[in-house]
């Protein structure tokens, strides 16, 4: 019997919690790297609602400080766990993995730092591969489930009482791409203010984008 989207959503959160609880064992040398901005909030939500145990969590912005600390600690080996809410294309996680690899190489930490795995609630079947690093995620999802997942995870994260509001600035190659992106965003985010900016817009509309 196929699970409903709601049941599958809750199960993906429980499965992620279980995987992390079983994988992360040390509070000092096991480091969870949660992609900002949803990653840390997702872990907080799992801690409050799914009994995720306490973990040492940083975001990708702390990598310079993290590797400086690891480099100065000559006695211990470290294990890294990459966490995101979902993997659709995989470019963000691949970029983070490559950045971590650069730090490991630059500091000569190949024998003391290991990326244990990549953890997320769901993974699109068409997303990219991450070579030899295992991925712990649910990939048995229907076409279009991603939209349902995003809507529900945002609702759950907002229940934490922390605003997810803010501005996003996106750069695209030309007017055609901007118009297509605007169309997609307006269809998916009907309550969000979206202001395109390109040369053929009227001065009034251009002012709205940069106000």
């Amino acid at each position: 019997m196929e699970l409903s989207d709601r049941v599958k959503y809750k199960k993906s959160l429980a499965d992620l919690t279980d995987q992390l609880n079983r994988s992360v064992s040390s509070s000092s040398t096991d480091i969870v790297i949660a992609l900002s901005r949803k990653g840390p909030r997702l872990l907080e939500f799992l801690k409050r609602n799914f009994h995720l145990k306490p973990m040492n969590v940083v975001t990708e912005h702390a990598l310079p400080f993290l590797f400086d600390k690891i480099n100065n600690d000559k006695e211990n080996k470290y294990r890294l766990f990459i966490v995101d809410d979902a993997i659709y294309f995989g470019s963000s996680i691949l970029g983070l993995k490559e950045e971590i690899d650069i730090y490991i190489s630059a500091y000569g930490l190949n024998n003391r730092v290991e990326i244990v795995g990549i953890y997320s609630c769901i993974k699109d079947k068409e997303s990219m591969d991450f070579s030899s690093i295992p991925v712990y995620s649910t990939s048995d999802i229907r076409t279009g489930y991603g939209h349902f997942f995003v809507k529900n995870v945002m609702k759950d994260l907002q229940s934490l009482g922390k605003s997810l509001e803010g501005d996003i600035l996106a750069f695209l190659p030309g007017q055609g791409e901007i118009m297509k992106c605007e169309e997609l965003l307006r269809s998916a985010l009907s309550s969000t203010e979206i202001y395109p900016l390109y040369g053929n817009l009227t001065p009034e509309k251009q002012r709205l984008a940069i106000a």
Side-chain angles (χ1 to χ4, degrees):
M1 180 179 177
E2 187 173 350
L3 299 177
S4 68
D5 284 348
R6 186 63 187 171
V7 172
K8 187 173 292 187
Y9 170 73
K10 290 293 186 182
K11 185 177 184 301
S12 71
L13 296 176
D15 288 348
L16 176 59
T17 302
D18 182 59
Q19 287 285 358
L20 286 170
N21 279 342
R22 288 191 286 111
S23 299
V24 179
S25 57
S26 170
S27 60
S28 58
T29 57
D30 282 357
I31 311 295
V32 175
I33 303 176
L35 269 75
S36 58
R37 302 164 42 229
K38 287 186 291 183
R41 288 191 173 103
L42 174 63
L43 294 176
E44 182 181 348
F45 181 81
L46 295 181
K47 183 178 178 181
R48 291 189 183 186
N49 298 277
F50 288 84
H51 307 294
L52 181 71
K53 66 184 182 182
M55 298 177 182
N56 191 352
V57 179
V58 300
T59 71
E60 67 274 23
H61 303 301
L63 288 182
F65 310 100
L66 173 63
F67 275 94
D68 187 58
K69 172 190 173 182
I70 293 174
N71 185 55
N72 291 328
D73 180 6
K74 307 298 183 183
E75 297 182 358
N76 293 304
K77 293 184 178 181
Y78 284 76
R79 302 194 306 160
L80 307 182
F81 305 78
I82 298 175
V83 174
D84 200 5
D85 64 318
I87 305 172
Y88 300 114
F89 303 105
S91 56
S92 297
I93 290 181
L94 181 62
L96 173 56
K97 175 191 172 297
E98 291 175 344
E99 187 176 359
I100 292 172
D101 287 339
I102 290 172
Y103 278 106
I104 291 175
S105 176
Y107 281 103
L109 298 172
N110 299 77
N111 296 324
R112 293 206 293 118
V113 177
E114 172 194 8
I115 302 176
V116 175
I118 297 166
Y119 299 75
S120 71
C121 293
I122 61 171
K123 179 180 184 294
D124 192 278
K125 295 176 182 177
E126 303 300 321
S127 66
M128 60 181 61
D129 189 21
F130 303 102
S131 63
S132 60
I133 299 178
V135 177
Y136 301 93
S137 183
T138 300
S139 58
D140 183 22
I141 57 175
R142 65 169 178 81
T143 302
Y145 175 79
H147 179 72
F148 174 88
F149 176 85
V150 169
K151 180 179 178 181
N152 280 270
V153 79
M154 291 294 287
K155 180 180 178 181
D156 281 341
L157 298 189
Q158 287 172 340
S159 73
L160 295 173
K162 298 178 181 178
S163 173
L164 288 173
E165 295 180 354
D167 298 326
I168 298 175
L169 175 63
F171 294 91
L172 298 168
Q175 179 177 334
E177 290 82 1
I178 293 172
M179 294 176 67
K180 180 62 176 177
C181 182
E182 179 188 6
E183 178 185 348
L184 292 172
L185 289 173
R186 289 194 187 282
S187 64
L189 305 170
S190 58
S191 62
T192 301
E193 295 181 350
I194 300 168
Y195 299 104
L197 179 61
Y198 49 87
N200 287 336
L201 285 174
T202 64
E204 291 79 10
K205 289 186 176 180
Q206 291 188 34
R207 280 194 290 271
L208 286 175
I210 61 177

